[in-house]
Each structure stands twice: as structure tokens, then as C-alpha cells.
Amino acid sequence: MKKKLTFLGIETSCDETAAAVIQENNNGSAKILSNIVSSQIDRHREFGGVVPELAARAHVENIEFIINKALKESQLSINEIDGVAATAGPGLIVCLTVGLNIGKSIAAFSKKPFVAINHLEGHALSPGLKNKLEFPYLLLLISGGHSQYLVVKEVNQYEQLGTTIDDALGEAFDKTSKILNLGYPGGPNIEKYAKLGNAKKFKLPLPIINRAGCNLSFAGLKTALLRESKKISNNIQLKYDLAASFQYTINKILEKKTIEAMKQFRNKNNSNKKFNFIVAGGVAANQSIRNNLSNLSKKENFEPIFPSIEFCGDNAAMIAWAGIKRYKKKLTNNLDFVAKSRWQLDNKAPYLKGPGLKLSKNII
Ligand code: KG4
Ligand code: ZN
């Protein structure tokens, strides 16, 4: 019988310290032997956002305990594991370095192969932990640091169709919650309070909605929201209405841009068959976004797939899984691999963010 591959995954790119042991079954599906995530939300709450130095310190304090816990729960020793995968970017360098270094050390002393993982590839392949995925598929990756439409052609083969030209979607949720004083982390709180509000109360802008292909922009929306928030003082019902209107507007933007991305995806693949449309990353946990994109996919003849909620946010199961997938393609790394704060999945994609950068004509 074919030996099952088992990987230890380590994730410390932002504010979650995570380790997991994942095995690939003979039919290609994943078996989750352990999946430990230690969130630092409480440490960052008083600052309303992730403080890199605090996050790095917490990773250093917790990482050994979390890895030991993941191994213990999997009932495997490090000698019974086939390889080690650790997130190497993109993210906060001081945080990435903690998990990457310990991953490399474990690989070195146990003489196991090492795989450096792009965190975005972890998210991109994460639905494979629960579903059988067929390449190519269309991916919408929406997290705290990234918002992108990608064609996933294969493991390690990505083509970016669109990205945000300013804030990431998770960042827009977090900033909105901060403006409205609805709590940290923003995404889940906006979702919660939006349920109590009237989504049609405020008319907010839909930036670059009729241009720039499936590129996204959320900064103008945030500015408009800030303006409205100043007019409502502390009226709690109006705050809920604003949260609901924000989420409604996001859904409108995603609807329009997803139709455009689906059109581009179909043209590239030149087929009317039913492809998978995968929505991954922390914001994919949002139920109203899940429902909307699910309905839209059915209309557009795409099969919608969302990772289960536990695999939407940052976790190490997706990192171990990406490690297995890369290892099978012989994409292992040397132990001198260094952390990268920026690391695009499609290295030919234009970088559209940053001060002084202008959108070129072919993008707009
Ligand atoms: O993927 P993730 O855990 O970390 C990054 O790689 O960035 O995503 C975190 C982001 C945060 O901005 C958080 O507010 C957002 O995902 N998020 C949500 C929800 N849950 C988490 N946004 C909207 N609705 C949610 N339910
Ligand atoms: Zn993430």
C-alpha cells in the first residue's frame, strides 16, 4: 500500500501562532490529525490592530508549546512525519521569522525535507482540506492583507486577474469597525452588528465599479463612511445601519467584480463547463458574502466552494497541506530560505499599491 504523506505545518505570519499535522489519504483527501491555533486577539485589542513587536514576542513565547501540542494531538513523533512546512511570507518579517526559523531547525535536526510556503498559496489550496478540487479554478482571496482574483492553474501556477489598488477587504472591515467603534477584530463585529441595521439607510460609493476590470478599491468607501459616521454622533441604531450599508456595498462590489473575473476566467479557459469558484481567506468567513457569492456562482454556472470556517482565518493546516502538495511536485527548499514580507503568487502581476504609484491605462 502507498505510504501516506504526513506534514507538520507552522504558521506565524501575523497574529495567529499555529501548528498542525496533516496527512494525505490514499484517495488524495486530507486527514487532519491536529490543528492548533492560538489567537493573539486579546493582546492587540487595546491597540485596535496588530502591533508587530507584540505579535512577534507572543509567537516566540508560544510557538514551542503550540508545535508540541500539535504533535501530541496527532499521536505522532517528529520521526514519523515526512516533512516540515512553514510560512515564509508575505507578512510581518519579525513574525514570519519565528515560525520559519523553528520550522527550518526541526527539519534540520530531524533530517526531514523542508518546504517554505507562501501564505497566500496556503489560503488558495485550503478548500482542498475538505473538498476534492479540480484545476483550473477561479479563486477570490480576501483576507486582512490581500484581495485578489486568481486563476489557479496548478499548485505553484497562478495568474492574477485583479487585485486591490488600495486597502485589502479585511482591512476595510477592520477600519470600518474602528471608525464606528464596534470592536476588534472588525470583520466579525461588522457582520454581527450589520444584522441589526438597515442596509439601505446609507448610500455609499462603489469605487472603480465600472472600470479597471476586476481590480478592486475600498479606500473611497472608507472615506465616505468616515464622513457619514461624523454626522451620526453616537446614535447606536445609525451605527448599525452604517455597518449594514457598508456590508451591503461590499457585496455589490464583489458581485460586479466577480462577474467580470468569471468572464475573464471563461475566456482564458475557453469552455462553458462548470468550473469551481473558490472564496478563501479570513473574510470568506462572512456569511452574507458566502450567501451572495454562492447565489451568484449558481447563476453564472460556477460551483461555489468555501473553506469551512475554521480554515478561513489563518491556520497551519493549510500550510501543512500546501507543504504536502509542493513536496509531491518536488518543490522543496533549502534551509537558507529567508522570510519575505512581499511575495506575490503571480510574479508577473503588476504591483498596484503604494504611494506615488499610478494605475497604468491598461489597468484602468
Ligand atoms: O486570512 P486572515 O485570518 O489573515 C490574513 O491573512 O490577513 O484574515 C483576517 C481578516 C481580518 O481583516 C478580519 O477582520 C477578517 O479577515 N474577517 C472577516 C470576518 N472574519 C474575519 N471579515 C468579514 N467578516 C467576517 N466574519
Ligand atoms: Zn491569511
Side-chain angles (χ1 to χ4, degrees), residues 16 119 123 143-145 170-171 173-174 185-188 191 281-283 285-286 312-314:
E16 259 93 28
H119 180 84
H123 279 302
S143 70
E171 200 180 346
F173 269 93
D174 293 337
E191 178 169 20
V283 186
N286 184 293
C312 286
D314 289 347

Side-chain angles (χ1 to χ4, degrees), residues 58-76:
H59 288 313
V60 173
E61 284 165 13
N62 292 330
I63 190 71
E64 275 184 52
F65 174 78
I66 298 294
I67 291 173
N68 281 329
K69 196 167 174 202
L71 285 170
K72 199 166 166 208
E73 224 172 79
S74 75
Q75 299 187 327
L76 294 177

